[in-house]
């Protein structure tokens, strides 16, 4: 049923969108009243329609009407769906007898802003809807600018507003439009494959396949067959022809992860492919033309590997036409809390019913942890904490990050300023052999000011 049908021809009011899902009979008697009060009512006929509307339209308030049968059969699925729409304040409409069901009480307590028992008291419902809309608008206004930007970020599933990640996003846009090979470097767990996917999705090859191969995970005796394919009977066990990953990627992008682990003998074959754009299957004699863009990634220092004879220099330069260096999570200023919230929303259907988010202590602790496993470790810790937490807010203990385990030293702005002043004064005095006059001139301050700084930090001329 459309909004125009609810309100009647010619009486459409430019109202506030209100999403409704569930038993239609619960709300239909009051649909005209809601319209007259400025609400634009839109029905979701089933759970799939609800998911579609949530993905294609913006709502701040929603109503879910469930009967006892719905609660037993679909309660978890409904909770999972509405939990992902965290910007919406949800109101539950329920039969009085359903309130005795324990699963329902858990569902309402964990997922809804408020609830009403049937039959509806329209005045009370309108008051609740107004409060819910107000709270949703306040929450939207309070959203940090960087969080709004993240929600609109088109770089696959990459999240971040730090200067380091903004630089990465800019580089991805630049390299996506050309055909040259790209080498992505960085520590394990920094998101090198996500960067490769983002390049592919923004490239003219986006409609083609994206084929990822982990060169370090394949057995050495199978890598050649996996990459180049083989003909029937070419070796023991080759009972039929196999098309290799390079050939499968034709028209799209081939992502070679951990390229530094590729054996030297296969590096020669890969170099030939990059030069000639042709391959030969194992046991075959025919040259097969393949139209593929290659993106490689490694956590290994390939320049060092070349120097040590573990990686071909000519292959290195073939792969390293364009380079993107992924930053470690510890260097991404301000991104950790943002990423944690994103992971929490993405895996909302895995969390305990009571868990609402992170405590301030947890956010502070995460922000000052070194993250040796980078984003991969953050995802692992957050997902585990979402399941194991038995309170409303995730604590450092739930994450396995008690303060005593933190490896990053927390430095306040005042402490950093004091250290910079001390270092500058000591250097100036040393370079000027203890002369306060010359040191103050070098520092661009008066002698009186320099004496004051020296007294403040307990410094002498020597």
């Amino acid at each position: 049923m459309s909004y125009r049908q609810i309100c009647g021809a010619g009486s459409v009011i430019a109202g506030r969108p209100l999403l409704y899902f569930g038993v239609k009979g619960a709300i239909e008697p009051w649909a005209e009243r809601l319209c007259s009060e400025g609400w634009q009512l839109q029905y979701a006929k089933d759970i799939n329609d609800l998911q579609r509307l949530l993905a294609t339209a913006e709502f701040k308030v929603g109503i879910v009407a469930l009967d006892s049968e719905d609660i037993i059969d679909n309660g978890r699925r409904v909770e999972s769906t509405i939990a992902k729409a965290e910007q919406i304040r949800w109101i539950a409409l329920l039969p009085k007898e359903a309130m005795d069901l324990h699963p329902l009480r858990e569902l309402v307590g964990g997922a809804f802003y408020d609830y009403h028992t049937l039959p509806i008291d329209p005045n009370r419902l309108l008051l609740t809807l107004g409060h819910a809309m107000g709270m949703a608008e306040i929450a939207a206004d309070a959203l940090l600018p960087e969080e709004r930007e993240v929600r609109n970020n088109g770089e696959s599933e990459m999240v971040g507003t730090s200067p380091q990640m903004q630089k990465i996003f800019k580089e991805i846009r630049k390299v996506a439009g050309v055909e040259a090979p790209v080498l992505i470097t960085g520590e394990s767990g920094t998101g090198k494959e996500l960067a490769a996917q983002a390049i592919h999705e923004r490239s003219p090859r986006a409609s083609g396949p994206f084929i990822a191969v982990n060169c370090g995970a394949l057995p050495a005796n199978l890598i050649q067959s996996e990459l180049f394919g083989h003909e029937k009977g070419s070796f023991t066990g080759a009972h039929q022809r196999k098309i290799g990953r390079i050939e499968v990627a034709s028209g799209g992008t081939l992502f070679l992860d951990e390229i530094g682990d590729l054996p030297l003998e296969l590096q020669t074959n890969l170099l030939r492919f990059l030069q000639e754009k042709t391959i030969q299957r194992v046991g075959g004699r025919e040259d097969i033309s393949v139209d593929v863009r290659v993106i490689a990634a490694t956590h290994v220092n390939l320049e060092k590997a070349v120097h040590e004879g573990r990686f071909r220099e000519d292959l290195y330069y073939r792969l390293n036409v364009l380079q993107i260096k992924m930053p470690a999570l510890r260097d991404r200023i301000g991104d950790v809390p943002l990423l944690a919230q994103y992971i929490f929303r993405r895996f909302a259907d895995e969390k305990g019913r009571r868990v609402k988010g992170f405590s301030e202590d947890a956010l502070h602790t995460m922000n000052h942890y070194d993250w040796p496993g980078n984003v991969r470790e953050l995802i692992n810790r957050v997902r585990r904490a979402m399941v194991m937490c038995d309170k409303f807010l995730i604590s450092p203990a739930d994450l396995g990050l008690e303060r005593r385990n933190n490896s990053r030293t927390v430095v306040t702005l005042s402490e950093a300023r004091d250290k910079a002043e001390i270092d500058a004064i000591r250097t100036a005095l040393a370079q000027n052999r203890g002369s306060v006059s010359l040191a103050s001139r070098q520092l661009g301050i008066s002698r009186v000011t320099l004496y004051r700084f020296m007294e403040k930090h307990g410094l002498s001329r020597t």
Side-chain angles (χ1 to χ4, degrees), residues 39-263:
W39 291 99
Q40 183 178 342
L41 190 60
Q42 190 162 352
Y43 283 115
K45 61 178 181 292
D46 54 36
I47 193 74
N48 294 326
D49 196 32
L50 175 63
Q51 292 169 345
R52 179 188 63 79
L53 285 169
L54 289 173
T56 58
E58 289 190 9
F59 298 92
K60 292 182 179 177
V61 182
I63 296 176
V64 176
L66 297 173
D67 58 25
S68 300
E69 185 177 335
D70 287 326
I71 294 159
I72 299 299
D73 296 340
N74 300 314
R76 189 62 179 170
R77 192 178 178 200
V78 169
E79 180 182 22
S80 173
T81 300
I82 66 178
K84 293 176 182 176
E86 61 166 356
Q87 78 280 9
I88 298 178
R89 295 298 183 271
W90 295 96
I91 314 298
L93 298 183
L94 307 154
K96 279 186 178 179
E97 62 273 14
M99 291 301 296
D100 294 329
L101 296 172
H102 181 68
L104 168 70
R105 302 180 75 86
E106 284 190 329
L107 175 62
V108 173
F112 287 87
Y113 172 78
D114 202 348
Y115 75 95
H116 285 252
T117 56
L118 299 173
I120 289 174
D121 177 342
N123 294 325
R124 182 169 176 266
L125 179 60
L126 284 167
L127 186 63
T128 301
L129 289 173
H131 287 166
M133 175 64 83
M135 291 302 294
E137 289 176 342
I138 288 172
D141 290 341
L143 194 65
L144 294 174
E146 56 265 28
E147 289 190 71
R148 296 193 192 100
E149 186 174 344
V150 165
R151 290 185 178 182
N152 296 323
N153 190 344
E155 310 293 355
S156 189
E157 294 184 351
M158 300 178 73
V159 175
T161 59
S162 63
Q164 294 85 352
M165 288 307 294
Q166 293 305 308
K167 179 174 179 286
I168 294 296
F169 296 148
K170 187 179 296 184
E171 290 174 348
I172 286 172
R173 295 185 187 102
K174 286 181 178 179
V175 306
V178 298
E179 288 289 297
V182 181
L183 179 64
I184 304 174
T185 63
E187 297 177 11
S188 294
T190 51
K192 295 187 289 292
E193 183 169 351
L194 283 179
Q197 287 176 331
I199 293 170
H200 171 73
E201 289 166 5
R202 283 184 168 269
S203 76
R205 297 175 174 268
S207 59
F210 177 85
I211 305 298
V213 180
N214 189 326
C215 300
L218 292 173
N221 61 327
L222 293 179
I223 293 180
Q224 185 164 4
S225 174
E226 284 293 324
L227 286 178
F228 298 95
H230 63 251
E231 297 290 352
K232 180 179 179 180
S234 57
F235 55 85
T236 302
H239 301 301
Q240 60 185 8
R241 171 185 284 178
K242 176 182 174 64
I243 304 301
R245 303 284 187 90
I246 294 176
E247 200 171 341
V248 171
S250 187
T253 303
L254 177 70
F255 175 58
L256 298 174
D257 199 7
E258 301 304 347
I259 190 70
D261 294 333
L262 194 68

Side-chain angles (χ1 to χ4, degrees), residues 157-389:
E157 294 184 351
M158 300 178 73
V159 175
T161 59
S162 63
Q164 294 85 352
M165 288 307 294
Q166 293 305 308
K167 179 174 179 286
I168 294 296
F169 296 148
K170 187 179 296 184
E171 290 174 348
I172 286 172
R173 295 185 187 102
K174 286 181 178 179
V175 306
V178 298
E179 288 289 297
V182 181
L183 179 64
I184 304 174
T185 63
E187 297 177 11
S188 294
T190 51
K192 295 187 289 292
E193 183 169 351
L194 283 179
Q197 287 176 331
I199 293 170
H200 171 73
E201 289 166 5
R202 283 184 168 269
S203 76
R205 297 175 174 268
S207 59
F210 177 85
I211 305 298
V213 180
N214 189 326
C215 300
L218 292 173
N221 61 327
L222 293 179
I223 293 180
Q224 185 164 4
S225 174
E226 284 293 324
L227 286 178
F228 298 95
H230 63 251
E231 297 290 352
K232 180 179 179 180
S234 57
F235 55 85
T236 302
H239 301 301
Q240 60 185 8
R241 171 185 284 178
K242 176 182 174 64
I243 304 301
R245 303 284 187 90
I246 294 176
E247 200 171 341
V248 171
S250 187
T253 303
L254 177 70
F255 175 58
L256 298 174
D257 199 7
E258 301 304 347
I259 190 70
D261 294 333
L262 194 68
L264 273 170
E265 59 270 22
L266 280 176
Q267 292 177 24
T268 303
N269 293 348
L270 184 60
L271 178 64
R272 178 176 176 272
F273 158 64
L274 289 171
Q275 290 173 333
E276 301 179 13
K277 298 295 184 183
T278 62
I279 62 167
Q280 282 188 359
R281 301 189 189 108
V282 177
R285 297 181 179 179
E286 178 189 359
D287 284 337
I288 302 169
S289 296
V290 185
D291 175 27
V292 170
R293 184 190 190 173
V294 174
I295 301 176
T298 182
H299 72 281
V300 173
N301 185 331
L302 287 187
E303 289 187 1
K304 182 179 179 182
V306 168
H307 181 71
E308 294 174 351
R310 294 183 289 109
F311 201 84
R312 291 185 61 115
E313 184 175 23
D314 46 5
L315 178 58
Y316 170 67
Y317 288 117
R318 278 282 179 179
L319 294 171
N320 192 28
V321 178
L322 301 170
Q323 185 178 131
I324 292 178
K325 181 176 175 57
M326 297 299 294
L329 184 55
R330 61 182 170 274
D331 298 327
R332 293 170 53 177
I333 301 168
D335 277 353
V336 172
L338 204 59
L339 272 164
Q341 298 287 4
Y342 172 80
I343 296 163
F344 185 88
R345 290 193 295 268
R346 181 182 172 190
F347 296 100
D349 55 344
E350 296 182 5
K351 70 180 178 66
R353 291 178 180 270
R354 300 181 64 192
V355 183
K356 299 296 185 183
F358 300 90
S359 67
E360 287 297 322
D361 201 24
L363 291 171
H364 181 274
T365 302
M366 284 191 290
N367 210 30
H368 294 91
Y369 175 65
D370 257 347
W371 298 108
N374 291 296
V375 178
R376 189 177 295 136
E377 181 186 358
L378 176 62
I379 293 171
N380 178 275
R381 288 186 180 275
V382 170
R383 290 183 69 182
R384 182 178 59 194
M386 289 168 64
V387 174
M388 302 306 295
C389 178

